Amino acid sequence: VLAAAVVRDYRRSLRAMASSTSMVEKVQGNNLSQARDSAKRVVDHKALVKKFIKTFESSSSSDVKFGRRKYKAALQQAVNDKIGTVFIDLNDVEEFCKKEIVEPDDQISQSPIQLQQAIENLVGDIEKQAPRYQRFFYEACDAEQPDRDAGYVAEGAAMARDAVQSWRQRMMQ
């Protein structure tokens, strides 16, 4: 009787281990599937981020040079050393995505279905993978930054940065 009870307990523990192993495999499979889906969206997300920086218009923003294009105006301020950091508001990204879903840009992606999925997942992917998307926004801002204009006044640290930058440019030549 004791031996039968031990065998039954052993069989139960084997079934439980097999069940937990299959659960772990399912979770790993889901994670792999999600990672693959995310990787498919990267190219479209980079293009969407660039378009966002270039074209996003806000009713709360008004600039003489860029009108309502909030982030182009912020980039001009950064180039002119008026601000040190351009902050991206996720609410703005979400608003941009809502507009893009209604009127998607055919230039961004080969597949309209893939573009639709990329737009729908942009904000969530930014929240999940902030460092990756921080780099995407940095690259987009770097590509879209305007030249300095009449609003630039070299003072203190700005003069030192200009001197270092011109020295670097001379060394590269």
PDB file of all heavy atoms in Angstrom, residues 29-61:
ATOM      1  N   GLY A  29       7.734  30.896 -26.111  1.00  0.00           N
ATOM      2  CA  GLY A  29       7.247  31.023 -27.484  1.00  0.00           C
ATOM      3  C   GLY A  29       6.518  32.333 -27.704  1.00  0.00           C
ATOM      4  O   GLY A  29       6.691  32.990 -28.732  1.00  0.00           O
ATOM      5  N   ASN A  30       5.708  32.732 -26.722  1.00  0.00           N
ATOM      6  CA  ASN A  30       5.001  34.017 -26.821  1.00  0.00           C
ATOM      7  C   ASN A  30       5.986  35.179 -26.823  1.00  0.00           C
ATOM      8  O   ASN A  30       5.832  36.130 -27.586  1.00  0.00           O
ATOM      9  CB  ASN A  30       4.014  34.173 -25.665  1.00  0.00           C
ATOM     10  CG  ASN A  30       2.801  33.291 -25.810  1.00  0.00           C
ATOM     11  OD1 ASN A  30       2.494  32.800 -26.899  1.00  0.00           O
ATOM     12  ND2 ASN A  30       2.104  33.061 -24.716  1.00  0.00           N
ATOM     13  N   ASN A  31       6.995  35.109 -25.952  1.00  0.00           N
ATOM     14  CA  ASN A  31       7.999  36.174 -25.905  1.00  0.00           C
ATOM     15  C   ASN A  31       8.750  36.281 -27.224  1.00  0.00           C
ATOM     16  O   ASN A  31       9.002  37.374 -27.722  1.00  0.00           O
ATOM     17  CB  ASN A  31       8.988  35.937 -24.761  1.00  0.00           C
ATOM     18  CG  ASN A  31       8.374  36.178 -23.405  1.00  0.00           C
ATOM     19  OD1 ASN A  31       7.330  36.811 -23.290  1.00  0.00           O
ATOM     20  ND2 ASN A  31       9.006  35.667 -22.374  1.00  0.00           N
ATOM     21  N   LEU A  32       9.095  35.140 -27.789  1.00  0.00           N
ATOM     22  CA  LEU A  32       9.794  35.128 -29.073  1.00  0.00           C
ATOM     23  C   LEU A  32       8.916  35.710 -30.168  1.00  0.00           C
ATOM     24  O   LEU A  32       9.376  36.510 -30.983  1.00  0.00           O
ATOM     25  CB  LEU A  32      10.228  33.695 -29.423  1.00  0.00           C
ATOM     26  CG  LEU A  32      11.001  33.527 -30.722  1.00  0.00           C
ATOM     27  CD1 LEU A  32      12.305  34.324 -30.669  1.00  0.00           C
ATOM     28  CD2 LEU A  32      11.296  32.055 -30.967  1.00  0.00           C
ATOM     29  N   SER A  33       7.660  35.345 -30.169  1.00  0.00           N
ATOM     30  CA  SER A  33       6.723  35.861 -31.166  1.00  0.00           C
ATOM     31  C   SER A  33       6.567  37.381 -31.035  1.00  0.00           C
ATOM     32  O   SER A  33       6.574  38.106 -32.034  1.00  0.00           O
ATOM     33  CB  SER A  33       5.369  35.178 -30.991  1.00  0.00           C
ATOM     34  OG  SER A  33       4.422  35.727 -31.858  1.00  0.00           O
ATOM     35  N   GLN A  34       6.462  37.863 -29.800  1.00  0.00           N
ATOM     36  CA  GLN A  34       6.338  39.310 -29.574  1.00  0.00           C
ATOM     37  C   GLN A  34       7.601  40.040 -30.004  1.00  0.00           C
ATOM     38  O   GLN A  34       7.536  41.124 -30.587  1.00  0.00           O
ATOM     39  CB  GLN A  34       6.031  39.598 -28.106  1.00  0.00           C
ATOM     40  CG  GLN A  34       4.642  39.201 -27.689  1.00  0.00           C
ATOM     41  CD  GLN A  34       4.415  39.342 -26.198  1.00  0.00           C
ATOM     42  OE1 GLN A  34       5.332  39.641 -25.432  1.00  0.00           O
ATOM     43  NE2 GLN A  34       3.186  39.129 -25.767  1.00  0.00           N
ATOM     44  N   ALA A  35       8.758  39.462 -29.745  1.00  0.00           N
ATOM     45  CA  ALA A  35      10.028  40.083 -30.150  1.00  0.00           C
ATOM     46  C   ALA A  35      10.125  40.149 -31.666  1.00  0.00           C
ATOM     47  O   ALA A  35      10.578  41.160 -32.228  1.00  0.00           O
ATOM     48  CB  ALA A  35      11.201  39.302 -29.569  1.00  0.00           C
ATOM     49  N   ARG A  36       9.709  39.098 -32.354  1.00  0.00           N
ATOM     50  CA  ARG A  36       9.725  39.106 -33.820  1.00  0.00           C
ATOM     51  C   ARG A  36       8.779  40.153 -34.380  1.00  0.00           C
ATOM     52  O   ARG A  36       9.115  40.859 -35.329  1.00  0.00           O
ATOM     53  CB  ARG A  36       9.370  37.721 -34.363  1.00  0.00           C
ATOM     54  CG  ARG A  36      10.481  36.724 -34.213  1.00  0.00           C
ATOM     55  CD  ARG A  36      10.103  35.380 -34.780  1.00  0.00           C
ATOM     56  NE  ARG A  36      11.205  34.453 -34.647  1.00  0.00           N
ATOM     57  CZ  ARG A  36      11.058  33.148 -34.526  1.00  0.00           C
ATOM     58  NH1 ARG A  36       9.856  32.608 -34.540  1.00  0.00           N
ATOM     59  NH2 ARG A  36      12.124  32.374 -34.407  1.00  0.00           N
ATOM     60  N   ASP A  37       7.579  40.250 -33.805  1.00  0.00           N
ATOM     61  CA  ASP A  37       6.621  41.262 -34.260  1.00  0.00           C
ATOM     62  C   ASP A  37       7.172  42.664 -34.048  1.00  0.00           C
ATOM     63  O   ASP A  37       7.038  43.538 -34.901  1.00  0.00           O
ATOM     64  CB  ASP A  37       5.286  41.113 -33.516  1.00  0.00           C
ATOM     65  CG  ASP A  37       4.525  39.855 -33.911  1.00  0.00           C
ATOM     66  OD1 ASP A  37       4.853  39.268 -34.968  1.00  0.00           O
ATOM     67  OD2 ASP A  37       3.608  39.463 -33.167  1.00  0.00           O
ATOM     68  N   SER A  38       7.790  42.882 -32.900  1.00  0.00           N
ATOM     69  CA  SER A  38       8.386  44.189 -32.592  1.00  0.00           C
ATOM     70  C   SER A  38       9.502  44.522 -33.579  1.00  0.00           C
ATOM     71  O   SER A  38       9.609  45.661 -34.050  1.00  0.00           O
ATOM     72  CB  SER A  38       8.916  44.184 -31.164  1.00  0.00           C
ATOM     73  OG  SER A  38       9.528  45.401 -30.857  1.00  0.00           O
ATOM     74  N   ALA A  39      10.318  43.537 -33.907  1.00  0.00           N
ATOM     75  CA  ALA A  39      11.424  43.759 -34.850  1.00  0.00           C
ATOM     76  C   ALA A  39      10.908  44.119 -36.240  1.00  0.00           C
ATOM     77  O   ALA A  39      11.526  44.920 -36.943  1.00  0.00           O
ATOM     78  CB  ALA A  39      12.307  42.521 -34.912  1.00  0.00           C
ATOM     79  N   LYS A  40       9.777  43.560 -36.629  1.00  0.00           N
ATOM     80  CA  LYS A  40       9.190  43.877 -37.939  1.00  0.00           C
ATOM     81  C   LYS A  40       8.741  45.338 -38.013  1.00  0.00           C
ATOM     82  O   LYS A  40       8.723  45.926 -39.083  1.00  0.00           O
ATOM     83  CB  LYS A  40       7.984  42.974 -38.222  1.00  0.00           C
ATOM     84  CG  LYS A  40       8.332  41.542 -38.504  1.00  0.00           C
ATOM     85  CD  LYS A  40       7.064  40.725 -38.717  1.00  0.00           C
ATOM     86  CE  LYS A  40       7.359  39.253 -38.821  1.00  0.00           C
ATOM     87  NZ  LYS A  40       6.116  38.456 -38.916  1.00  0.00           N
ATOM     88  N   ARG A  41       8.372  45.897 -36.871  1.00  0.00           N
ATOM     89  CA  ARG A  41       7.846  47.267 -36.845  1.00  0.00           C
ATOM     90  C   ARG A  41       8.931  48.336 -36.762  1.00  0.00           C
ATOM     91  O   ARG A  41       8.649  49.518 -36.945  1.00  0.00           O
ATOM     92  CB  ARG A  41       6.890  47.430 -35.664  1.00  0.00           C
ATOM     93  CG  ARG A  41       5.647  46.589 -35.752  1.00  0.00           C
ATOM     94  CD  ARG A  41       4.653  46.955 -34.674  1.00  0.00           C
ATOM     95  NE  ARG A  41       5.114  46.686 -33.326  1.00  0.00           N
ATOM     96  CZ  ARG A  41       4.848  45.592 -32.634  1.00  0.00           C
ATOM     97  NH1 ARG A  41       4.139  44.631 -33.161  1.00  0.00           N
ATOM     98  NH2 ARG A  41       5.293  45.453 -31.392  1.00  0.00           N
ATOM     99  N   VAL A  42      10.166  47.958 -36.496  1.00  0.00           N
ATOM    100  CA  VAL A  42      11.237  48.922 -36.241  1.00  0.00           C
ATOM    101  C   VAL A  42      11.432  49.890 -37.405  1.00  0.00           C
ATOM    102  O   VAL A  42      11.511  51.101 -37.206  1.00  0.00           O
ATOM    103  CB  VAL A  42      12.558  48.195 -35.900  1.00  0.00           C
ATOM    104  CG1 VAL A  42      13.740  49.132 -35.966  1.00  0.00           C
ATOM    105  CG2 VAL A  42      12.469  47.578 -34.532  1.00  0.00           C
ATOM    106  N   VAL A  43      11.486  49.397 -38.618  1.00  0.00           N
ATOM    107  CA  VAL A  43      11.729  50.266 -39.777  1.00  0.00           C
ATOM    108  C   VAL A  43      10.594  51.272 -39.926  1.00  0.00           C
ATOM    109  O   VAL A  43      10.837  52.471 -40.137  1.00  0.00           O
ATOM    110  CB  VAL A  43      11.894  49.419 -41.059  1.00  0.00           C
ATOM    111  CG1 VAL A  43      11.981  50.301 -42.283  1.00  0.00           C
ATOM    112  CG2 VAL A  43      13.113  48.523 -40.952  1.00  0.00           C
ATOM    113  N   ASP A  44       9.361  50.793 -39.799  1.00  0.00           N
ATOM    114  CA  ASP A  44       8.213  51.707 -39.894  1.00  0.00           C
ATOM    115  C   ASP A  44       8.207  52.699 -38.740  1.00  0.00           C
ATOM    116  O   ASP A  44       7.879  53.871 -38.921  1.00  0.00           O
ATOM    117  CB  ASP A  44       6.897  50.921 -39.915  1.00  0.00           C
ATOM    118  CG  ASP A  44       6.722  50.122 -41.196  1.00  0.00           C
ATOM    119  OD1 ASP A  44       7.331  50.491 -42.220  1.00  0.00           O
ATOM    120  OD2 ASP A  44       5.966  49.129 -41.172  1.00  0.00           O
ATOM    121  N   HIS A  45       8.577  52.246 -37.548  1.00  0.00           N
ATOM    122  CA  HIS A  45       8.607  53.144 -36.397  1.00  0.00           C
ATOM    123  C   HIS A  45       9.648  54.248 -36.574  1.00  0.00           C
ATOM    124  O   HIS A  45       9.392  55.403 -36.218  1.00  0.00           O
ATOM    125  CB  HIS A  45       8.858  52.367 -35.106  1.00  0.00           C
ATOM    126  CG  HIS A  45       7.630  51.688 -34.593  1.00  0.00           C
ATOM    127  ND1 HIS A  45       7.627  50.918 -33.464  1.00  0.00           N
ATOM    128  CD2 HIS A  45       6.353  51.655 -35.046  1.00  0.00           C
ATOM    129  CE1 HIS A  45       6.410  50.454 -33.238  1.00  0.00           C
ATOM    130  NE2 HIS A  45       5.629  50.882 -34.204  1.00  0.00           N
ATOM    131  N   LYS A  46      10.806  53.909 -37.115  1.00  0.00           N
ATOM    132  CA  LYS A  46      11.818  54.947 -37.366  1.00  0.00           C
ATOM    133  C   LYS A  46      11.266  56.003 -38.319  1.00  0.00           C
ATOM    134  O   LYS A  46      11.450  57.206 -38.102  1.00  0.00           O
ATOM    135  CB  LYS A  46      13.087  54.333 -37.967  1.00  0.00           C
ATOM    136  CG  LYS A  46      13.984  53.672 -36.970  1.00  0.00           C
ATOM    137  CD  LYS A  46      15.259  53.205 -37.652  1.00  0.00           C
ATOM    138  CE  LYS A  46      16.223  52.609 -36.673  1.00  0.00           C
ATOM    139  NZ  LYS A  46      17.493  52.215 -37.304  1.00  0.00           N
ATOM    140  N   ALA A  47      10.598  55.563 -39.368  1.00  0.00           N
ATOM    141  CA  ALA A  47      10.017  56.499 -40.335  1.00  0.00           C
ATOM    142  C   ALA A  47       8.904  57.331 -39.694  1.00  0.00           C
ATOM    143  O   ALA A  47       8.791  58.538 -39.954  1.00  0.00           O
ATOM    144  CB  ALA A  47       9.493  55.747 -41.556  1.00  0.00           C
ATOM    145  N   LEU A  48       8.092  56.706 -38.865  1.00  0.00           N
ATOM    146  CA  LEU A  48       7.020  57.436 -38.179  1.00  0.00           C
ATOM    147  C   LEU A  48       7.581  58.470 -37.205  1.00  0.00           C
ATOM    148  O   LEU A  48       7.069  59.593 -37.111  1.00  0.00           O
ATOM    149  CB  LEU A  48       6.097  56.464 -37.436  1.00  0.00           C
ATOM    150  CG  LEU A  48       5.151  55.645 -38.302  1.00  0.00           C
ATOM    151  CD1 LEU A  48       4.536  54.504 -37.502  1.00  0.00           C
ATOM    152  CD2 LEU A  48       4.068  56.533 -38.900  1.00  0.00           C
ATOM    153  N   VAL A  49       8.640  58.109 -36.488  1.00  0.00           N
ATOM    154  CA  VAL A  49       9.272  59.045 -35.545  1.00  0.00           C
ATOM    155  C   VAL A  49       9.831  60.239 -36.309  1.00  0.00           C
ATOM    156  O   VAL A  49       9.655  61.392 -35.892  1.00  0.00           O
ATOM    157  CB  VAL A  49      10.369  58.333 -34.715  1.00  0.00           C
ATOM    158  CG1 VAL A  49      11.273  59.329 -34.018  1.00  0.00           C
ATOM    159  CG2 VAL A  49       9.729  57.396 -33.708  1.00  0.00           C
ATOM    160  N   LYS A  50      10.473  59.987 -37.428  1.00  0.00           N
ATOM    161  CA  LYS A  50      11.022  61.081 -38.227  1.00  0.00           C
ATOM    162  C   LYS A  50       9.908  61.996 -38.742  1.00  0.00           C
ATOM    163  O   LYS A  50      10.012  63.221 -38.680  1.00  0.00           O
ATOM    164  CB  LYS A  50      11.833  60.521 -39.395  1.00  0.00           C
ATOM    165  CG  LYS A  50      12.569  61.583 -40.157  1.00  0.00           C
ATOM    166  CD  LYS A  50      13.543  61.004 -41.143  1.00  0.00           C
ATOM    167  CE  LYS A  50      14.301  62.136 -41.816  1.00  0.00           C
ATOM    168  NZ  LYS A  50      15.345  61.649 -42.697  1.00  0.00           N
ATOM    169  N   LYS A  51       8.829  61.387 -39.216  1.00  0.00           N
ATOM    170  CA  LYS A  51       7.693  62.193 -39.693  1.00  0.00           C
ATOM    171  C   LYS A  51       7.069  62.979 -38.541  1.00  0.00           C
ATOM    172  O   LYS A  51       6.686  64.137 -38.707  1.00  0.00           O
ATOM    173  CB  LYS A  51       6.645  61.299 -40.349  1.00  0.00           C
ATOM    174  CG  LYS A  51       5.478  62.083 -40.911  1.00  0.00           C
ATOM    175  CD  LYS A  51       4.488  61.221 -41.634  1.00  0.00           C
ATOM    176  CE  LYS A  51       3.361  62.099 -42.163  1.00  0.00           C
ATOM    177  NZ  LYS A  51       2.320  61.309 -42.813  1.00  0.00           N
ATOM    178  N   PHE A  52       6.989  62.366 -37.368  1.00  0.00           N
ATOM    179  CA  PHE A  52       6.449  63.042 -36.192  1.00  0.00           C
ATOM    180  C   PHE A  52       7.257  64.294 -35.870  1.00  0.00           C
ATOM    181  O   PHE A  52       6.695  65.381 -35.696  1.00  0.00           O
ATOM    182  CB  PHE A  52       6.437  62.080 -35.000  1.00  0.00           C
ATOM    183  CG  PHE A  52       6.129  62.741 -33.689  1.00  0.00           C
ATOM    184  CD1 PHE A  52       4.826  63.054 -33.354  1.00  0.00           C
ATOM    185  CD2 PHE A  52       7.137  63.055 -32.788  1.00  0.00           C
ATOM    186  CE1 PHE A  52       4.535  63.672 -32.148  1.00  0.00           C
ATOM    187  CE2 PHE A  52       6.863  63.664 -31.586  1.00  0.00           C
ATOM    188  CZ  PHE A  52       5.554  63.978 -31.263  1.00  0.00           C
ATOM    189  N   ILE A  53       8.566  64.160 -35.799  1.00  0.00           N
ATOM    190  CA  ILE A  53       9.425  65.302 -35.473  1.00  0.00           C
ATOM    191  C   ILE A  53       9.284  66.387 -36.532  1.00  0.00           C
ATOM    192  O   ILE A  53       9.236  67.577 -36.219  1.00  0.00           O
ATOM    193  CB  ILE A  53      10.904  64.864 -35.340  1.00  0.00           C
ATOM    194  CG1 ILE A  53      11.095  63.935 -34.140  1.00  0.00           C
ATOM    195  CG2 ILE A  53      11.846  66.062 -35.264  1.00  0.00           C
ATOM    196  CD1 ILE A  53      10.800  64.561 -32.791  1.00  0.00           C
ATOM    197  N   LYS A  54       9.185  65.986 -37.756  1.00  0.00           N
ATOM    198  CA  LYS A  54       9.150  66.939 -38.877  1.00  0.00           C
ATOM    199  C   LYS A  54       7.801  67.644 -39.013  1.00  0.00           C
ATOM    200  O   LYS A  54       7.767  68.836 -39.332  1.00  0.00           O
ATOM    201  CB  LYS A  54       9.468  66.181 -40.163  1.00  0.00           C
ATOM    202  CG  LYS A  54       9.688  67.038 -41.365  1.00  0.00           C
ATOM    203  CD  LYS A  54      10.125  66.167 -42.534  1.00  0.00           C
ATOM    204  CE  LYS A  54      10.585  67.016 -43.688  1.00  0.00           C
ATOM    205  NZ  LYS A  54      11.139  66.186 -44.766  1.00  0.00           N
ATOM    206  N   THR A  55       6.704  66.931 -38.754  1.00  0.00           N
ATOM    207  CA  THR A  55       5.398  67.482 -39.134  1.00  0.00           C
ATOM    208  C   THR A  55       4.402  67.710 -38.011  1.00  0.00           C
ATOM    209  O   THR A  55       3.361  68.314 -38.259  1.00  0.00           O
ATOM    210  CB  THR A  55       4.716  66.559 -40.160  1.00  0.00           C
ATOM    211  OG1 THR A  55       4.418  65.299 -39.539  1.00  0.00           O
ATOM    212  CG2 THR A  55       5.579  66.362 -41.381  1.00  0.00           C
ATOM    213  N   PHE A  56       4.663  67.226 -36.792  1.00  0.00           N
ATOM    214  CA  PHE A  56       3.639  67.312 -35.754  1.00  0.00           C
ATOM    215  C   PHE A  56       3.271  68.762 -35.477  1.00  0.00           C
ATOM    216  O   PHE A  56       4.131  69.610 -35.247  1.00  0.00           O
ATOM    217  CB  PHE A  56       4.083  66.651 -34.444  1.00  0.00           C
ATOM    218  CG  PHE A  56       3.036  66.745 -33.377  1.00  0.00           C
ATOM    219  CD1 PHE A  56       1.921  65.931 -33.415  1.00  0.00           C
ATOM    220  CD2 PHE A  56       3.147  67.675 -32.363  1.00  0.00           C
ATOM    221  CE1 PHE A  56       0.935  66.029 -32.445  1.00  0.00           C
ATOM    222  CE2 PHE A  56       2.170  67.788 -31.386  1.00  0.00           C
ATOM    223  CZ  PHE A  56       1.060  66.956 -31.434  1.00  0.00           C
ATOM    224  N   GLU A  57       1.967  69.035 -35.516  1.00  0.00           N
ATOM    225  CA  GLU A  57       1.449  70.375 -35.233  1.00  0.00           C
ATOM    226  C   GLU A  57       0.617  70.340 -33.967  1.00  0.00           C
ATOM    227  O   GLU A  57      -0.199  69.447 -33.771  1.00  0.00           O
ATOM    228  CB  GLU A  57       0.605  70.876 -36.403  1.00  0.00           C
ATOM    229  CG  GLU A  57       1.420  71.128 -37.654  1.00  0.00           C
ATOM    230  CD  GLU A  57       0.623  71.774 -38.776  1.00  0.00           C
ATOM    231  OE1 GLU A  57      -0.596  71.990 -38.612  1.00  0.00           O
ATOM    232  OE2 GLU A  57       1.217  72.060 -39.821  1.00  0.00           O
ATOM    233  N   SER A  58       0.841  71.355 -33.134  1.00  0.00           N
ATOM    234  CA  SER A  58       0.121  71.466 -31.876  1.00  0.00           C
ATOM    235  C   SER A  58      -0.608  72.797 -31.831  1.00  0.00           C
ATOM    236  O   SER A  58      -0.052  73.831 -32.217  1.00  0.00           O
ATOM    237  CB  SER A  58       1.107  71.381 -30.706  1.00  0.00           C
ATOM    238  OG  SER A  58       0.454  71.651 -29.498  1.00  0.00           O
ATOM    239  N   SER A  59      -1.832  72.774 -31.342  1.00  0.00           N
ATOM    240  CA  SER A  59      -2.598  74.012 -31.232  1.00  0.00           C
ATOM    241  C   SER A  59      -2.001  74.936 -30.174  1.00  0.00           C
ATOM    242  O   SER A  59      -2.200  76.151 -30.216  1.00  0.00           O
ATOM    243  CB  SER A  59      -4.057  73.709 -30.912  1.00  0.00           C
ATOM    244  OG  SER A  59      -4.148  72.986 -29.703  1.00  0.00           O
ATOM    245  N   SER A  60      -1.246  74.387 -29.230  1.00  0.00           N
ATOM    246  CA  SER A  60      -0.649  75.198 -28.169  1.00  0.00           C
ATOM    247  C   SER A  60       0.679  75.826 -28.593  1.00  0.00           C
ATOM    248  O   SER A  60       1.255  76.612 -27.859  1.00  0.00           O
ATOM    249  CB  SER A  60      -0.440  74.348 -26.915  1.00  0.00           C
ATOM    250  OG  SER A  60       0.508  73.334 -27.179  1.00  0.00           O
ATOM    251  N   SER A  61       1.158  75.487 -29.761  1.00  0.00           N
ATOM    252  CA  SER A  61       2.449  75.990 -30.225  1.00  0.00           C
ATOM    253  C   SER A  61       2.249  76.988 -31.361  1.00  0.00           C
ATOM    254  O   SER A  61       1.461  76.751 -32.274  1.00  0.00           O
ATOM    255  CB  SER A  61       3.310  74.815 -30.710  1.00  0.00           C
ATOM    256  OG  SER A  61       4.532  75.279 -31.196  1.00  0.00           O
TER     257      SER A  61
END
